[in-house]
Amino acid sequence: MNYQIKPRTSDIVITIYVVLTLFYRIKFENETGVTVLQSLVIGLCLVVMPWSLIKLKVLNPNWFGLFNSKKI
């Protein structure tokens, strides 16, 4: 089963994910006093999830059309 999300929907999902994880990291790390190394590990774990979905071609980001390839 090969499930793919449309490019525009992928862009929206990735944007919402990034905003929510940044909010979570800022709020959680300020409340608990996390060290720099722990913060880096949390950030790496949160980045690996969408990266793996992009590599598996489940998410197909178009990056909101910012990087249009020019065809000759």
Side-chain angles (χ1 to χ4, degrees):
M1 185 169 99
N2 192 2
Y3 184 72
Q4 294 183 346
I5 298 176
K6 295 179 182 179
R8 179 66 70 175
T9 307
S10 294
D11 290 342
I12 294 170
V13 168
I14 291 171
T15 303
I16 291 171
Y17 179 81
V18 167
V19 169
L20 288 177
T21 56
L22 281 175
F23 175 74
Y24 164 75
R25 285 185 65 195
I26 291 169
K27 185 177 184 310
F28 174 73
E29 290 175 5
N30 282 337
E31 289 177 356
T32 58
V34 175
T35 65
V36 175
L37 183 61
Q38 290 171 334
S39 176
L40 289 173
V41 170
I42 291 169
L44 181 65
C45 291
L46 292 174
V47 167
V48 166
M49 291 190 305
W51 176 80
S52 62
L53 290 174
I54 291 170
K55 285 296 179 183
L56 291 172
K57 304 282 188 203
V58 173
L59 290 175
N60 300 304
N62 190 21
W63 309 114
F64 295 105
L66 293 176
F67 302 112
N68 288 334
S69 59
K70 295 181 181 178
K71 295 182 180 179
I72 298 175

